[in-house]
Amino acid sequence: MLTRRAFAACALCAAGGFLATAAEAQTPGLRRILMKRTDGPIDGYETLEMRVEFDPGTVVPRHTHPGVESGYVLEGDIELSVEGETPIALRAGEAFQVPTARPHSARTGAAKTVLADTYVVEKGKPLASPA
């Protein structure tokens, strides 16, 4: 039986369009907040615009997305490691892109980090999967 608090929390998540994935559920300190969802740009895909927040010192394990991730660092800093590329350190005001299905991981610095991310992904697939 759901308590009122649990029911309210579930209702808030559903109303906010929150996307929880297996990879995210296992990553303490990471929050993805859906701002806008749009069909397209082609059949079978959707575009998700999100605010991604990280607590200081968050480590995001290797994972993939079923489409392209484009991001912009709004505040804080993050080290992004994309398979086949040299890790890059990104600060507020810098942007990045991760190709479709390319394994990647991240680590934030000592301050809260916030990204504006756009995902163009296959509809109906989990946003993130462990790699």
Side-chain angles (χ1 to χ4, degrees), residues 27-85:
T27 306
L30 167 65
R31 291 169 300 286
R32 287 188 179 104
I33 301 148
L34 180 64
M35 306 304 287
K36 185 174 183 182
R37 178 192 310 254
T38 308
D39 283 338
I42 60 173
D43 287 342
Y45 282 78
E46 63 185 345
T47 300
L48 307 172
E49 296 175 54
M50 300 188 137
R51 176 182 174 94
V52 183
E53 300 176 344
F54 302 89
D55 292 339
T58 298
V59 175
V60 181
R62 275 172 49 101
H63 64 283
T64 61
H65 303 288
V68 175
E69 174 186 6
S70 299
Y72 179 82
V73 183
L74 295 170
E75 62 183 84
D77 61 278
I78 190 165
E79 181 179 274
L80 179 65
S81 297
V82 179
E83 185 175 273
E85 300 177 17

